[in-house]
Amino acid sequence: EPTTGLDPRSRLALWDVVGGLRDRGVAVLLTTQYLEEADRLADRIAVVDQGRVIAAGTAHQLKDQVGGAAIAVAVADRGDLPVVRDVVARVTGTEPGVDATAARVTAPVADGVDALAGVAAALRDAAVDVVDVGVHRPSLDDVFLALTGQPVAAGGEDPGLHGPAGADASAVGA
C-alpha cells in the first residue's frame, strides 16, 4: 500500500511514477485498500475478501457487475424535490429515488448523455435552482461493498467504508 499516509501531492507524484512504469510495459503488482488508486493505475483488478479472490477484471467490467449509470440531481431548495422527481421520472422512464436529507434525486439511466441533457433542460425551464447534476457510474468502492455483501450507497456515493478486516484489492498494471 504505497500511498497510505501520504499527503495528496505526494500521493499524486507516486501515482505518476507507478503509472509511468505501467505505461512503459513494466508489470506492477499493487496491493491497496484505496480503490481510487486501483481504478486509476490498474489494467486488471482482483478483489480479495477474507483471503480469497471474489472477482477480477478491468475496472469497467467490475463496475458493470454492480450496475449501470445513474443520473443524480442535487437542488438548493428541498421544496423543489417533487418537481425534480417528476422531471427525472419523465425523462428516464424510471421511478427515481429521493433523498430529502441530501436534497438529491437519483435514477438509473440507459443513455446518460441524453438523460442528462433532457433533465437539465427541463429543470432550467422549471426554474429549479440546481446545485449539481450529473451522470455517475458505480465506483470501485461500490463494487467492493456489493461483492462483499455490504450495502451500496444510493447514487454511487462512497460511504467511506472499505469493508471488513482483511478485505483488499490487488491491481495489476501493464
Side-chain angles (χ1 to χ4, degrees):
E1 298 188 17
T3 63
T4 300
L6 293 181
D7 64 89
R9 184 175 296 119
S10 298
R11 182 181 68 241
L12 291 173
L14 187 54
W15 283 0
D16 285 344
V17 169
V18 173
L21 290 169
R22 178 205 56 216
D23 293 345
R24 288 194 307 267
V26 175
V28 177
L29 177 64
L30 173 71
T31 302
T32 184
Q33 290 184 7
Y34 188 33
L35 298 180
E36 180 184 354
E37 187 168 70
D39 200 359
R40 180 172 175 156
L41 296 173
D43 296 323
R44 294 203 27 87
I45 298 168
V47 179
V48 179
D49 185 31
Q50 303 299 319
R52 293 192 162 159
V53 174
I54 59 172
T58 67
H60 290 296
Q61 289 168 336
L62 293 171
K63 290 174 185 180
D64 284 346
Q65 288 182 21
V66 172
I71 191 163
V73 180
V75 295
D77 181 355
R78 285 180 181 82
D80 287 332
L81 287 173
V83 172
V84 175
R85 190 204 67 73
D86 291 346
V87 165
V88 171
R90 181 172 35 83
V91 171
T92 65
T94 64
E95 184 59 35
V98 177
D99 182 344
T101 304
R104 178 183 305 270
V105 174
T106 59
V109 292
D111 187 343
V113 173
D114 286 345
L116 181 60
V119 166
L123 293 175
R124 180 196 60 228
D125 294 346
V128 173
D129 186 8
V130 174
V131 174
D132 188 33
V133 60
V135 177
H136 308 281
R137 285 187 37 90
S139 69
L140 284 178
D141 284 343
D142 296 328
V143 170
F144 179 85
L145 294 172
L147 291 174
T148 60
Q150 301 298 318
V152 176
E157 296 170 8
D158 176 9
L161 300 174
H162 291 285
D168 216 344
S170 294
V172 179

